[in-house]
Amino acid sequence: EAGVVQSPRYKIIEKKQPVAFWCNPISGHNTLYWYLQNLGQGPELLIRYENEEAVDDSQLPKDRFSAERLKGVDSTLKIQPAELGDSAVYLCASSLAGQGFKQYFGPGTRLTVT
Amino acid sequence: GQQVMQIPQYQHVQEGEDFTTYCNSSTTLSNIQWYKQRPGGHPVFLIQLVKSGEVKKQKRLTFQFGEAKKNSSLHITATQTTDVGTYFCADGGSQGNLIFGKGTKLSVKP
C-alpha cells in the first residue's frame, strides 16, 4: 500500500513570494490533515478535511494561507505571501474513518523562507 | 488552549538502559496516541490508548494510560540504537484532531 505522498520535499523561496504544497493521501482515506511542524516542536494542526469539506480550519492563518481539496482526494496548501516565520516542515496526514483516527503522515515539505 | 505536557524534553541513555517518557494533561483525555519520529523523518503511529488504566505492550515498549485519563507513559526496556528518535504523545480528541506534546528526544549511545 502506497503511503501519503507530498511534493515538493524541499522548497526555498524569498519572503513575499507565493508557495504551494501538494498532498496525495492514502487511497480510500476520506480524512486529510495539514500540519505545521517547527524545529523541536510537535506538529500543529492547520486544517482538517472530511472528503472535500474543510471541517476544522480554526488554526489556519487565513490572511495568507489557503487550502483546497476539490475532489476529496488530493489537497493543496498555499501561502501567499510567505514570511520568514513560515519556515517549517509542512506535514500532510490522512486517516480512514473507523480506525480510531490513526493518522498516517507523509514525508513533509521543508520550507525555507529567506 | 488545551495542552499536553511531555517530560523530559531530552533523554540520553546508554544502549541497554531503560527509557521512560511521560505525558500529562490538565483535562481528561478521550484517548491518547503515541507517535515516533526518526531524525529527518515523519511521525509514525505507535499506539492508541482509550480505556482508563489501560496498559499495552509492543515488544520492548510498554504504554500506560492513567486511571484518571490525564496522563500516560511510554517505557522502553533495554534500549537499542534503533530506538533513537523523538517520541510524541498526542491528545486524540473526539474528532480526530491531534494535539501533540513537544516530544521527548531520545538518543542512545552504543
Side-chain angles (χ1 to χ4, degrees):
Chain A
E1 180 183 81
V4 176
V5 179
Q6 288 188 250
S7 69
R9 293 293 312 277
Y10 305 91
K11 188 73 176 180
I12 301 173
I13 61 171
E14 293 182 347
K15 62 181 180 181
K16 301 184 181 181
Q17 293 301 306
V19 65
F21 315 124
W22 175 79
C23 172
N24 181 240
I26 292 173
S27 177
H29 282 197
N30 62 319
T31 307
L32 184 146
Y33 313 78
W34 282 102
Y35 289 89
L36 177 154
Q37 186 174 26
N38 287 304
L39 189 64
Q41 304 291 317
E44 299 171 34
L45 180 71
L46 290 172
I47 190 168
R48 174 169 66 99
Y49 281 93
E50 296 288 346
N51 300 305
E52 65 274 8
E53 181 182 1
V55 294
D56 187 347
D57 63 356
S58 58
Q59 302 303 313
L60 190 72
K62 298 180 184 65
D63 57 336
R64 296 184 300 108
F65 286 65
S66 64
E68 60 182 15
R69 194 185 185 198
L70 293 177
K71 296 184 178 180
V73 180
D74 295 3
S75 177
T76 302
L77 177 68
K78 297 179 181 178
I79 309 175
Q80 182 171 12
E83 297 179 352
L84 294 176
D86 296 331
S87 295
V89 175
Y90 292 83
L91 293 162
C92 179
S94 68
S95 67
L96 181 64
Q99 281 197 345
F101 307 114
K102 171 183 176 181
Q103 296 186 20
Y104 298 80
F105 283 81
T109 297
R110 182 175 296 277
L111 173 67
T112 302
V113 183
T114 63
Chain B
Q2 189 170 358
Q3 291 183 333
V4 286
M5 307 301 293
Q6 258 187 280
I7 56 170
Q9 189 174 0
Y10 302 97
Q11 186 78 54
H12 309 282
V13 300
Q14 190 77 33
E15 187 173 22
E17 293 181 340
D18 292 356
F19 159 76
T20 304
T21 174
Y22 301 90
C23 185
N24 295 286
S25 172
S26 59
T27 59
T28 302
L29 302 169
S30 58
N31 70 87
I32 194 157
Q33 299 185 22
W34 285 91
Y35 288 77
K36 176 183 178 181
Q37 186 170 22
R38 294 182 185 275
H42 56 276
V44 175
F45 176 85
L46 293 176
I47 209 156
Q48 182 187 45
L49 304 172
V50 179
K51 299 178 182 178
S52 168
E54 191 170 14
V55 178
K56 288 189 177 180
K57 293 189 176 183
Q58 291 178 351
K59 297 182 181 179
R60 295 178 295 102
L61 277 61
T62 302
F63 303 85
Q64 293 188 329
F65 203 8
E67 294 290 340
K69 299 182 71 174
K70 290 185 175 182
N71 58 77
S72 180
S73 65
L74 159 59
H75 179 83
I76 302 178
T77 303
T79 55
Q80 301 174 0
T81 55
T82 54
D83 295 326
V84 165
T86 301
Y87 293 85
F88 292 99
C89 65
D91 172 11
S94 59
Q95 300 295 326
N97 289 354
L98 296 178
I99 299 174
F100 283 83
K102 292 188 176 183
T104 296
K105 187 174 183 178
L106 172 65
S107 62
V108 179
K109 186 176 181 181

